[in-house]
Amino acid sequence: MTSLLTILLLVALTFTPVFSELCNPQDKKALLQFKKDLGNPTTLSSWIPTTDCCNKTWQGVLCDTDTKTYRVNNLDLTNLKLPKPYPIPSSIGNLPYLDFLYIGSTPNLVGVIPPAIGNLTKLHYLYITHTNISGEIPDFLSQITTLVTLDFSYNALSGTLPASLSKLPNLVGITFDGNRISGAIPDSYGSFSNLFTSMTLSRNSLSGRIPGTLAKLNLAFVDLSRNMLEGDASVLFGSEKNTQKIVLAKNALAFDLGKVGLSENLNGLDLRNNRIYGTLPQGLTKLKYLKTFNVSYNKLCGQIPQGGNLQRFDAYAYANNKCLCGSPLPACN
């Protein structure tokens, strides 16, 4: 009897597969189609059909091991070295469990942001940076209500900012620096949820006035530099806010700086090359964390407040104003 059991056990082991693939077949199919649609770049040579896409050998692919569903939830792709220009494949929309999508440093990635991305209803983090994707930032992004971060920096995107993004209930920040976006900042951007803390839109062609509705936001970091914005930017300031950095350099902004309130957590302020007037706020001397500061090339007047960190900055930080004076500039008359 014992020898019979041993034989049966050996037979069972012989016919039991040693390898059980964790990767969901539909996810694997979508990934392989995505690779094919991009011309089978050598960067993705580790995506081999006979291997498990969840075994951490597929470049940039991670699966959900926490819930043991093993669905592909993280796609982190950089420098894809495409053999020729390709658009973002619509097959990306066949990965419904994606939580994180990053595609970066791929100049040969062209075309528009495909509607298929709207199928990724579990997506929290969407980064497409340093490519040549073009067209407008699509309205359908506002339907992905799980989105937390949107980063489309340094591409060739144009058109205007979609007003609908303010409908996203979990969004904490947008980064659209270095594109060709034009027009005004929508009034609706003052309606972002109280989770929203970062807005960086530098190096575009934005114009018009900064909406007064933005006064409602408590932004930790705002960068609107190198645009064509004009008028009052005082709505971005406030002593009751948690603002850490404000960068507004190289616009046509004009407001009385002496009347703004300052967050006690402010560590960076760059207002150079605008038309800002008035005096420097005395409250600048109380900012314990101020590390970067530049108000050059404006229309400021009066004595530079003495104390705090203000004298750590050289004369260049204050240069070319209407009548600023006092250390580190020449003494006032």
Side-chain angles (χ1 to χ4, degrees), residues 20 29 38 72 112 137 143 159 163 171 178 232 249 255 269 322 327:
S20 177
K29 181 180 178 182
L38 289 175
V72 172
V112 301
I137 299 171
Q143 298 168 19
L171 200 65
D232 189 3
F255 60 97
L269 184 62
K322 185 177 179 181
S327 177

Side-chain angles (χ1 to χ4, degrees), residues 41 48 59 99 124 133 139 168 175 213 218 228 236 259 268 273 300 310 320:
I48 302 170
Q59 176 70 31
D99 169 84
H124 286 84
I133 60 165
D139 270 316
L168 291 167
T175 304
T213 55
N218 186 6
M228 297 180 288
L236 301 172
K259 294 182 178 179
N273 294 85
L300 295 164
L310 285 186
N320 291 283

Side-chain angles (χ1 to χ4, degrees), residues 13 60 66 105 107 109 117 172 189 209 214 245 263-264 282 286 321:
L13 288 172
D66 293 335
S105 302
L109 196 68
I117 284 183
V172 301
Y189 280 23
R209 303 177 70 84
L214 298 195
K245 194 167 187 177
S263 162
E264 62 180 17
Q282 190 65 36
K286 299 177 182 178
N321 272 284

Side-chain angles (χ1 to χ4, degrees), residues 91-254:
S91 47
I92 193 68
N94 295 326
L95 293 166
Y97 285 80
L98 271 189
D99 169 84
F100 178 97
L101 175 60
Y102 175 83
I103 305 174
S105 302
T106 303
N108 263 0
L109 196 68
V110 297
V112 301
I113 298 171
I117 284 183
N119 298 335
L120 305 178
T121 56
K122 297 182 185 296
L123 198 62
H124 286 84
Y125 307 96
L126 178 56
Y127 300 82
I128 305 173
T129 72
H130 295 87
T131 76
N132 272 301
I133 60 165
S134 57
E136 298 189 3
I137 299 171
D139 270 316
F140 68 71
L141 293 170
S142 64
Q143 298 168 19
I144 310 175
T145 56
T146 51
L147 278 171
V148 171
T149 301
L150 271 177
D151 186 344
F152 295 146
S153 54
Y154 298 96
N155 296 297
L157 294 168
S158 58
T160 57
L161 293 167
S164 58
L165 290 183
S166 60
K167 297 176 184 177
L168 291 167
N170 301 301
L171 200 65
V172 301
I174 53 175
T175 304
F176 299 153
D177 306 296
N179 283 283
R180 301 167 189 170
I181 303 167
S182 59
I185 299 172
D187 286 345
S188 65
Y189 280 23
S191 302
F192 281 112
S193 78
N194 57 10
L195 299 173
F196 191 79
T197 57
S198 177
M199 181 188 293
T200 68
L201 307 171
S202 70
R203 298 174 184 268
N204 280 288
S205 299
L206 296 171
S207 59
R209 303 177 70 84
I210 294 174
T213 55
L214 298 195
K216 303 172 189 175
L217 300 180
N218 186 6
L219 295 171
F221 181 44
V222 56
D223 186 351
L224 305 179
S225 63
R226 298 174 185 266
N227 281 288
M228 297 180 288
L229 297 166
E230 58 189 22
D232 189 3
S234 62
V235 295
L236 301 172
F237 295 79
S239 56
E240 75 290 352
K241 296 186 179 184
N242 187 37
T243 313
Q244 297 168 36
K245 194 167 187 177
I246 298 177
V247 184
L248 303 175
K250 299 190 176 182
N251 280 288
L253 298 166

